[in-house]
Amino acid sequence: KGVCGGILGAIRGIWTGVPPVKFGLIMALNGIEVGVCYMGTKELVMKFRNVDDWQNHTLSGILSGGLMSGYYLGSQFAIYGSAFGCIGATTAVYLREKWVTYQIKQYAYENNPALREEELRQKQIEENSKIETNPWPKWLPVRKLTREEYSDILKKNEEE
């Protein structure tokens, strides 16, 4: 968080005309402070819950967001900071879990040729089943006519 804050601070310093080193250092310290507060509350929540899951991150986001905004902006902004911390922490954990799951699947796919063969076989089965399936619901008494049945129906209609 400190590195990200430093980079963003340097960019904002260049953008606003303030010396980028000075502004970057201030933003880096702010990022470190937010990270320390978040990690501290996360460890505190983990100590009481004895589980490491998304709820710990959400609770620590609520606590650290409320603490930081309440300390710097006043107690009336603590609720907004808690909401922001909750949304930010939950989103970050969700994206991290998605990324880890993707990486695990990618690694398994690359290192296991049986998975690739199984995937190709499943695709072939799906393509074959799409061709042969009836688009009508099963409860509907409509079925696809063969060419012979259709020609027979046309002949009967011509005779009448």
Side-chain angles (χ1 to χ4, degrees), residues 38-99:
Y38 177 77
M39 291 307 291
T41 55
K42 182 179 164 223
E43 291 298 321
L44 181 70
V45 170
M46 273 181 57
K47 183 167 178 74
F48 287 110
R49 291 194 66 229
N50 293 327
V51 179
D52 187 18
D53 59 356
W54 66 272
Q55 294 171 356
N56 289 354
H57 296 279
T58 303
L59 287 172
S60 60
I62 291 169
L63 291 173
S64 62
L67 287 171
M68 297 292 286
S69 61
Y71 179 74
Y72 286 110
L73 301 174
S75 60
Q76 66 269 23
F77 292 103
I79 294 173
Y80 300 118
S82 294
F84 181 75
C86 173
I87 292 168
T90 307
T91 304
V93 170
Y94 174 76
L95 293 175
R96 184 193 72 185
E97 292 297 323
K98 285 290 188 183
W99 177 252

Side-chain angles (χ1 to χ4, degrees), residues 116-132:
R116 288 185 287 227
E117 293 170 6
E118 179 67 24
E119 185 177 320
L120 289 173
R121 193 173 68 78
Q122 287 294 332
K123 284 183 182 177
Q124 289 174 348
I125 291 171
E126 288 175 10
E127 288 173 5
N128 292 340
S129 66
K130 286 179 185 175
I131 294 170
E132 299 170 4

Side-chain angles (χ1 to χ4, degrees), residues 129 132-144:
S129 66
E132 299 170 4
T133 57
N134 186 0
W136 302 100
K138 290 183 179 182
W139 54 266
L140 192 64
V142 175
R143 64 180 175 84
K144 186 175 181 180

